[in-house]
Amino acid sequence: MTKDADVVVNLPSSGWSKLPSLLPEGIEMEDLMGFEMVTATRRELLRVKDSLFQIELFRLSEDAHDQSRFQRRLRQPIFQDVDVSLPTAEDVIIQKLRWSRGAKRPKDFADAVAVMQVQGKSLDWPYIERWCAEHGTLDVLAEAKAEASVVWEADEPS
Amino acid sequence: MTGTESLLKLIAAFDSAEIPYMVVGSYRRIFAASHA
């Protein structure tokens, strides 16, 4: 099982100082804040008592796509009576392609292809293309789409 | 407390304090898969 979780939070600066008092019992905030290296986003580390599990809290940045992705997030039911806010599939693809270019991480490209393979036909492609044009990643988008389309074609009724 | 339990407790605390958040990274994949 994964040993950490990542959460983006939108709080004013004053809100962060109050955050430790809002944390549930057994979860504590580390004193030192850090930076996420790919996006240079500030982050705070939460430790879970008597566990190796940790939760990284990223501050919502001023980056235009980071803002758009946060505004478009959706509450999804994950268990009975439990809803969680998640980014949309379109925004996951845009972000992964941006990282695959910026940080040269092949896994991000593979992740983007995997999301396309599952959700390809229902995706808002004009939205994806607009941001990829903005990020200079239209070429990797075309490459990813070509890889994903093999699965879509295989799913077509013959 | 497992990782998932602690994350869900944190999310519940955010919801009750009306703190806007979204889960990204590996838990986004796990939760998205459970939704699908």
Side-chain angles (χ1 to χ4, degrees):
Chain A
M1 193 56 166
T2 183
K3 285 278 186 284
D4 61 17
D6 302 323
V7 181
V8 176
V9 180
N10 187 19
L11 267 180
S13 298
S14 57
W16 285 92
S17 56
K18 294 175 193 151
L19 196 57
S21 64
L22 298 172
L23 296 176
E25 196 185 330
I27 300 179
E28 290 169 355
M29 189 182 279
E30 287 249 308
D31 289 338
L32 288 174
M33 70 98 184
F35 279 93
E36 196 284 312
M37 297 310 286
V38 177
T39 57
T41 308
R42 287 177 70 166
R43 68 170 169 85
E44 310 285 345
L45 193 60
L46 305 182
R47 299 267 183 210
V48 178
K49 203 176 168 188
D50 301 326
S51 160
L52 293 174
F53 191 78
Q54 57 187 35
I55 302 170
E56 289 187 276
L57 295 185
F58 296 92
R59 300 181 184 214
L60 178 65
S61 77
E62 294 298 318
D63 176 82
H65 178 249
D66 210 20
Q67 291 277 334
S68 176
R69 159 175 99 125
F70 196 80
Q71 278 175 7
R72 295 176 83 247
R73 72 195 189 283
L74 294 172
R75 277 183 82 80
Q76 307 272 17
I78 55 156
F79 303 118
Q80 196 175 10
D81 299 331
V82 181
D83 290 351
V84 170
S85 292
L86 302 173
T88 66
E90 288 89 358
D91 288 310
V92 171
I93 291 167
I94 294 162
Q95 184 80 312
K96 295 278 182 185
L97 293 178
R98 190 182 193 186
W99 283 345
S100 79
R101 167 64 50 84
K104 298 191 177 4
R105 297 195 304 200
K107 187 179 180 305
D108 289 319
F109 180 83
D111 287 347
V113 171
V115 176
M116 284 182 194
Q117 285 173 337
V118 175
Q119 313 231 11
K121 289 176 183 171
S122 60
L123 291 169
D124 180 349
W125 287 103
Y127 175 82
I128 295 173
E129 284 158 9
R130 182 162 65 80
W131 279 109
C132 286
E134 184 89 10
H135 296 158
T137 53
L138 280 173
D139 55 341
V140 276
L141 172 64
E143 215 179 305
K145 213 170 167 179
E147 279 198 29
S149 66
V150 175
V151 171
W152 305 334
E153 282 156 19
D155 287 345
E156 290 285 337
S158 51
Chain B
M1 183 159 60
T2 68
T4 302
E5 283 168 351
S6 57
L7 179 57
L8 292 177
K9 272 179 78 173
L10 179 69
I11 286 168
F14 283 168
D15 280 337
S16 71
E18 296 185 356
I19 295 173
Y21 74 90
M22 67 178 172
V23 176
V24 297
S26 51
Y27 266 87
R28 180 205 61 80
R29 276 198 301 278
I30 294 165
F31 289 159
S34 71
H35 170 66

